[in-house]
C-alpha cells in the first residue's frame, strides 16, 4: 500500500532536509577534523623522521630565500635566484642517497647541457640570421631524440633518468633563449650558479641535520622480511595441525603471524629503489665505501621466492577440502619439526644479518630441518594412508611436499646472506647453542660459571675464516 503525502508536506520536505543538513554540519565538520588529526598523529608516530624531514625542507627553503631578501646577494644573481628555491623543492628528498642522486644529476646535467647550449648558439650564429633558427631547431631535435632514447636503457633510467630530463630542459632553454637574448653565456652561468647553490644547500641540510640513510633502511628491510617468514613458520605448524574446534589466545597471535609475509611479496619495487639510492651514499657507520648494495637484491629475490611458496602453503589453511585431523596427525610431528626449524633458521639469519655478524649458526637449524625432512620422506613412502580417501590425502601431502621445497629456498637464502657477509666484511662472531635451549643462538664467548674455573658444559660452534 503506498503512503500518501499532502502537497504541503511535499513542498516543505526539501526545506526540512536542508535545515537538518545545516544542523548536522558542525558535527560533521568536527568529526572530519578529528579524523584528520588522528591520521596526522598516527603518521608522525609511525615514523618520526617524517616530521624532521618536513622541518629540514622548511629550513633549506628559508636559507636559499635569503638570495631574494638581501640586496647584495640579489644583485649577484638577479631574478635567477628563484632557480635556487626551485632546486631545493625538487632536489631535497627524504634520504641522503636520494638527495645526492638528484643533486648530482641536476648539477651535472645543467653544467654539460648549458655548455652545449652555448656552443650550439655560437655555431648557429655563424650561419647568419636566416640560418640560425634552422640550426638551433636541428640541434634541439637531435639532442631531444638522443637523450629521450637513452632513457629507455634500464641502467640509465635507474640512476640518471632525472639528469637526462634536466639535460633536455637546460639545453632547450639556453639554446632557444639565445636566439632572442645575446647574453646567453651570462644566462647559462647564472642558471648553473643558482642550481649549484640550491643543490649544495639541500645536501648540507640533508646530511648535517638528522640524516636518513636509505642504505640502513634497505638493510633493515631485508632482515625484517626474513623475520616475517620466520614468524609464519613458527605459527604454521600449530595452526595447521590443531583440531578445528580449538581456539585460544595463541590462535589469535598465530593468525597475526600468518599474515605478515604478504608485505614480502610486494617488496621488490621498494628494494630496487632503495638499492639505487643507497649507491649514491658515502660510507657511513658499518656501511663502507662501495658497499655491495646489489647483493641485497639477490637476497630479496630468493626471500620472495620463499614467500611465494608460503602463499601457497597459507592457502591450505583455509582450503575447503581439508584432511581429517586423525590423518594429518600421522605426519604432524615431522611437519611441525620442519616448520619450527625453518623458523629458527630464518630468525637466526635475520638476527645476525641485522647485527652484521658473520656466522653460520643458521646451518644448524637447516641441517635439523633436513633430518626431519628425511624422516617425512620415509614416512610418506610407506603405506601410511592406504585406507583413506584420495581427496582427503591430497591437501596434507601437498603441505608436506611444500615444506620440503621450502627447505631448499631457505638454503638459498643462507647462501646469499653468507655471500653478502663475505663481500661486505661482516665481523666474525662465535655462536653458542645451549643444550637445554637448542633454538637460542647467542653471540659472544662461551659462558663460564662464576664460582668455579670450569666452564659450563655448553656446546660451542666456532666459525673460523
Amino acid at each position: 500500500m503506498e503512503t500518501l503525502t499532502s502537497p504541503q508536506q511535499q513542498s516543505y520536505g526539501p526545506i526540512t532536509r536542508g535545515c537538518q543538513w545545516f544542523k548536522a554540519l558542525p558535527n560533521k565538520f568536527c568529526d572530519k577534523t578529528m579524523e584528520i588529526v588522528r591520521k596526522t598523529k598516527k603518521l608522525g608516530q609511525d615514523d618520526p623522521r617524517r616530521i624532521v624531514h618536513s622541518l629540514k625542507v622548511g629550513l633549506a627553503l628559508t636559507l636559499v630565500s635569503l638570495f631574494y631578501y638581501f640586496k647584495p646577494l640579489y644583485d649577484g644573481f638577479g631574478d635567477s635566484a628563484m632557480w635556487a628555491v626551485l632546486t631545493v623543492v625538487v632536489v631535497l628528498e627524504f634520504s641522503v642517497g636520494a638527495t645526492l642522486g638528484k643533486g648530482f644529476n641536476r648539477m651535472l646535467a645543467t653544467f654539460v647541457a648549458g655548455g652545449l647550449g652555448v656552443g650550439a648558439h655560437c655555431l648557429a650564429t655563424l650561419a647568419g640570421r636566416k640560418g640560425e633558427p634552422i640550426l638551433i631547431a636541428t640541434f634541439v631535435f637531435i639532442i631531444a631524440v638522443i637523450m629521450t632514447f637513452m632513457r629507455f636503457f634500464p641502467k640509465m633510467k635507474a640512476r640518471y633518468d632525472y639528469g637526462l630530463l634536466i639535460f633536455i630542459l637546460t639545453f632547450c632553454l639556453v639554446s632557444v633563449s639565445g636566439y632572442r637574448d645575446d647574453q646567453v653565456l651570462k644566462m647559462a652561468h647564472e642558471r648553473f650558479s643558482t642550481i649549484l647553490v640550491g643543490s649544495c644547500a639541500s645536501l648540507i641540510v640533508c646530511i648535517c641535520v638528522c640524516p636518513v640513510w636509505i642504505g640502513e633502511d634497505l638493510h633493515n628491510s631485508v632482515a625484517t622480511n626474513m623475520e616475517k617468514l620466520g614468524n609464519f613458520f613458527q605459527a604454521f605448524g600449530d595452526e595447521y595441525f590443531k583440531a578445528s574446534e580449538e581456539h585460544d589466545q595463541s590462535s589469535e597471535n598465530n593468525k597475526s603471524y600468518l599474515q605478515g609475509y604478504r608485505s614480502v611479496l610486494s617488496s621488490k619495487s621498494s628494494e630496487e629503489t632503495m638499492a639505487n639510492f643507497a649507491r649514491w651514499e658515502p660510507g657511513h657507520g658499518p656501511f663502507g665505501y662501495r658497499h655491495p648494495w646489489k647483493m641485497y637484491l639477490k637476497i630479496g629475490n630468493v626471500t620472495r621466492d620463499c614467500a611465494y611458496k608460503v602463499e601457497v602453503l597459507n592457502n591450505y589453511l583455509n582450503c575447503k577440502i581439508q584432511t581429517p585431523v586423525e590423518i594429518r596427525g600421522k605426519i604432524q610431528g615431522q611437519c611441525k619439526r620442519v616448520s619450527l626449524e625453518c623458523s629458527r633458521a630464518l630468525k637466526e639469519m635475520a638476527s645476525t644479518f641485522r647485527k652484521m655478524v658473520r656466522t653460520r649458526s643458521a646451518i644448524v637449524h637447516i641441517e635439523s630441518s633436513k633430518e626431519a625432512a628425511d624422516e617425512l620422506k620415509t614416512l610418506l613412502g610407506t603405506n601410511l594412508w592406504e585406507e583413506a580417501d584420495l581427496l582427503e590425502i591430497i591437501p596434507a601431502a601437498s603441505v608436506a611436499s611444500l615444506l620440503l621445497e621450502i627447505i631448499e629456498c631457505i638454503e638459498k637464502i643462507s647462501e646469499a646472506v653468507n655471500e653478502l657477509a663475505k663481500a661486505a666484511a661482516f665481523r666474525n662472531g662465535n655462536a653458542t647453542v645451549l643444550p637445554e635451549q637448542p633454538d637460542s643462538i647467542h653471540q659472544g664467548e662461551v659462558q663460564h660459571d662464576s664460582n668455579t674455573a670450569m666452564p659450563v658444559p655448553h656446546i660451542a660452534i666456532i666459525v673460523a675464516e
Side-chain angles (χ1 to χ4, degrees):
M1 184 176 179
E2 297 181 357
T3 303
L4 299 177
T5 57
S6 64
Q8 186 177 7
Q9 289 177 330
Q10 291 180 357
S11 62
Y12 284 98
I15 298 176
T16 304
R17 289 194 297 269
C19 293
Q20 292 175 350
W21 184 84
F22 276 108
K23 288 181 180 179
L25 187 61
N27 293 333
K28 290 182 179 180
F29 178 78
C30 293
D31 293 342
K32 194 67 175 179
T33 303
M34 293 304 299
E35 182 182 355
I36 295 174
V37 171
R38 284 193 297 269
K39 289 183 178 180
T40 304
K41 183 180 178 180
K42 185 179 183 300
L43 194 65
Q45 289 177 342
D46 290 343
D47 192 350
R49 298 179 302 176
R50 296 167 178 166
I51 301 175
V52 177
H53 175 68
S54 302
L55 297 174
K56 288 161 64 175
V57 173
L59 175 62
L61 286 173
T62 303
L63 291 176
V64 296
S65 297
L66 297 178
F67 286 90
Y68 247 70
Y69 299 149
F70 291 94
K71 186 172 177 55
L73 296 176
Y74 180 80
D75 292 339
F77 293 97
D79 293 334
S80 298
M82 185 55 65
W83 283 108
V85 178
L86 296 177
T87 299
V88 171
V89 173
V90 298
V91 167
L92 186 53
E93 293 286 344
F94 184 73
S95 64
V96 174
T99 304
L100 276 170
K102 271 197 167 183
F104 176 80
N105 273 273
R106 191 172 181 86
M107 287 187 292
L108 181 62
T110 302
F111 177 75
V112 177
L116 287 178
V118 172
H121 171 74
C122 294
L123 287 176
T125 54
L126 298 178
R129 199 62 181 172
K130 292 183 179 180
E132 182 178 356
I134 299 176
L135 280 180
I136 291 178
T138 303
F139 291 145
V140 169
F141 175 79
I142 293 173
I143 292 296
V145 169
I146 294 175
M147 293 298 109
T148 302
F149 186 77
M150 288 177 65
R151 294 180 61 200
F152 291 105
F153 288 94
K155 290 185 178 180
M156 296 296 293
K157 188 171 185 64
R159 300 199 68 186
Y160 306 108
D161 186 64
Y162 179 72
L164 295 174
L165 284 175
I166 296 300
F167 187 97
I168 298 173
L169 174 64
T170 303
F171 181 83
C172 292
L173 284 176
V174 173
S175 59
V176 175
S177 300
Y179 181 71
R180 298 293 182 184
D181 189 356
D182 294 334
Q183 296 181 338
V184 62
L185 185 61
K186 179 182 178 182
M187 177 182 61
H189 175 265
E190 289 179 349
R191 175 171 167 79
F192 176 73
S193 300
T194 51
I195 288 178
L196 180 65
V197 169
S199 299
C200 290
S202 301
L203 293 176
I204 292 172
V205 172
C206 187
I207 295 175
C208 297
V209 181
C210 300
V212 176
W213 303 102
I214 196 69
E216 291 183 7
D217 289 348
L218 174 61
H219 184 84
N220 293 328
S221 174
V222 172
T224 300
N225 286 343
M226 288 189 283
E227 285 180 353
K228 290 177 179 178
L229 295 183
N231 290 335
F232 176 89
F233 290 116
Q234 178 184 349
F236 176 78
D238 293 335
E239 189 69 19
Y240 183 74
F241 290 101
K242 73 177 183 180
S244 58
E245 64 273 6
E246 293 180 3
H247 184 81
D248 52 13
Q249 184 62 34
S250 62
S251 179
E252 293 294 332
N253 295 335
N254 287 344
K255 288 182 179 179
S256 63
Y257 286 155
L258 291 171
Q259 302 302 320
Y261 76 93
R262 296 185 184 275
S263 61
V264 182
L265 300 173
S266 57
S267 61
K268 181 177 181 179
S269 177
S270 61
E271 286 179 358
E272 289 179 348
T273 301
M274 287 190 288
N276 285 328
F277 287 148
R279 293 171 63 187
W280 289 104
E281 294 180 344
H284 58 280
F287 305 99
Y289 177 67
R290 297 184 67 85
H291 191 76
W293 298 113
K294 282 187 176 181
M295 300 185 74
Y296 284 81
L297 299 180
K298 181 179 179 181
I299 299 176
N301 289 334
V302 293
T303 303
R304 275 186 296 277
D305 289 341
C306 185
Y308 293 138
K309 290 182 173 59
V310 167
E311 173 77 5
V312 179
L313 201 60
N314 184 61
N315 291 335
Y316 282 102
L317 292 174
N318 303 314
C319 184
K320 292 182 179 180
I321 302 176
Q322 288 287 358
T323 304
V325 177
E326 58 272 11
I327 299 179
R328 276 184 283 174
K330 296 179 181 180
I331 60 171
Q332 177 176 346
Q334 290 76 13
C335 287
K336 290 183 71 172
R337 185 183 170 195
V338 170
S339 182
L340 186 60
E341 292 298 336
C342 289
S343 171
R344 291 169 177 170
L346 286 166
K347 288 187 174 182
E348 179 60 25
M349 280 190 287
S351 176
T352 55
F353 181 81
R354 192 186 297 274
K355 298 174 183 176
M356 301 187 74
V357 177
R358 185 181 174 187
T359 70
R360 299 181 66 86
S361 53
I363 298 297
V364 178
H365 300 298
I366 295 177
E367 293 300 325
S368 298
S369 67
K370 285 183 177 181
E371 294 176 3
D374 291 337
E375 295 176 6
L376 182 59
K377 289 178 183 177
T378 304
L379 193 60
L380 292 174
T382 61
N383 296 328
L384 186 63
W385 299 320
E386 56 182 359
E387 297 180 357
D389 185 9
L390 181 61
L391 289 177
E392 294 179 342
I393 296 174
I394 289 177
S398 300
V399 167
S401 177
L402 281 169
L403 287 174
L404 298 178
E405 293 181 10
I406 285 171
I407 295 176
E408 298 179 2
C409 290
I410 295 177
E411 273 193 293
K412 292 180 181 179
I413 296 175
S414 177
E415 292 173 359
V417 169
N418 290 329
E419 289 177 7
L420 174 59
K422 184 177 180 180
F426 284 9
R427 67 180 187 276
N428 290 323
N430 296 334
T432 302
V433 183
L434 304 182
E436 63 273 12
Q437 294 178 343
D439 57 322
S440 59
I441 305 295
H442 303 278
Q443 300 295 333
E445 299 179 354
V446 179
Q447 298 179 359
H448 289 71
D449 187 62
S450 58
N451 297 325
T452 64
M454 297 296 293
V456 179
H458 293 167
I459 299 174
I461 302 169
I462 301 176
V463 180
E465 284 290 329

